[in-house]
Amino acid sequence: DRGEGVHRNQAKAFAWYLKAAQGGDAQAQRVVGVRYEFGMGTPADVRQAIPWYRKAASQGEREAQGRLGYDLMRGDGVDKDQEQGFAYLMFSSVAFPYSQYLLAKCYADGVYVSRDLVQAYARCLLAPPTEKKVQDLMSTLKKQINDDQIKEATELAARIHKQDQDGDFQSDAMTLTLDKGTSVTMKFEN
């Protein structure tokens, strides 16, 4: 894969990851999904990626849950299912910080959930700070919210982080306010 001690060969790396994935290794299943989605060592085919993400996600592999959630939200390679996509993003956000950015976008744009700029800014604070997309969204949000809302978002981010660290996140169900203003309790399914 990296060419450490041998010549770099993405096709051979893919073959070894596939072998490990077929043996049930969740991280290898996620890697096979990523390689299918982005065409690394194999032709790009997001439809081939989805089953591997599902296998890894069902074993609790958080990055696979995030990637599957993102694809479900967009309907990329799979039937669009924003409810399950959002659930996967929520569950993956504990260990896959890029999901925090994707959640921030959902709250900023009112996709699936009601638009909530404070929640969006809080999620940005938990996302990878060096990502340009995160920096750009935070900059946009700062122009739309006031200092009190920034303080509220900072406190919310600290609470979310503490819940994640303490394992207080409910992993079987959550209640959300949808983009149409109604509340729904949704259950997470593997």
Side-chain angles (χ1 to χ4, degrees):
D1 185 17
R2 296 184 182 133
E4 295 175 10
V6 294
H7 292 287
R8 188 169 191 218
N9 185 324
Q10 294 294 310
K12 281 186 180 179
F14 177 78
W16 282 107
Y17 283 125
L18 183 59
K19 185 173 181 138
Q22 290 167 335
D25 184 89
Q27 289 181 333
Q29 290 168 342
R30 183 231 330 133
V31 170
V32 167
V34 169
R35 288 173 174 273
Y36 270 126
E37 186 165 2
F38 298 104
M40 300 163 60
T42 188
D45 184 351
V46 72
R47 290 196 178 280
Q48 291 284 335
I50 299 300
W52 291 108
Y53 288 154
R54 285 192 189 281
K55 288 177 184 187
S58 71
Q59 294 186 66
E61 214 286 339
R62 298 297 190 173
E63 184 176 336
Q65 291 173 343
R67 291 182 181 282
L68 179 58
Y70 183 63
D71 289 339
L72 285 164
M73 291 290 291
R74 295 180 319 160
D76 196 7
V78 65
D79 289 340
K80 190 175 195 175
D81 185 340
Q82 289 187 328
E83 181 175 317
Q84 276 298 294
F86 192 88
Y88 275 116
L89 290 177
M90 286 295 288
F91 289 100
S92 68
S93 68
V94 173
F96 183 50
Y98 193 72
S99 289
Q100 295 288 2
Y101 164 74
L102 298 172
L103 290 169
K105 285 288 293 169
C106 288
Y107 281 107
D109 299 337
V111 174
Y112 184 66
V113 291
S114 291
R115 189 166 191 249
D116 184 338
L117 300 183
V118 170
Q119 180 77 246
Y121 194 84
R123 296 291 175 170
C124 280
L125 292 171
L126 296 167
T130 58
E131 290 278 338
K132 181 162 177 17
K133 290 179 180 181
V134 174
Q135 294 169 357
D136 291 347
L137 181 56
M138 284 185 77
S139 176
T140 299
L141 291 169
K142 272 187 176 179
K143 295 174 187 170
Q144 299 175 21
I145 60 178
N146 62 40
D147 289 342
D148 288 339
Q149 290 171 310
I150 290 174
K151 182 180 177 192
E152 181 183 350
T154 303
E155 291 167 357
L156 176 60
R159 283 194 310 275
I160 291 168
H161 180 71
K162 183 173 180 353
Q163 287 172 340
D164 290 348
Q165 296 303 307
D166 293 346
D168 291 342
F169 182 73
Q170 288 293 326
S171 61
D172 60 346
M174 69 180 81
T175 302
L176 301 168
T177 304
L178 302 181
D179 56 1
K180 296 178 180 49
T182 58
S183 290
V184 64
T185 300
M186 57 189 235
K187 293 195 179 277
F188 176 69
E189 299 171 13
N190 277 327

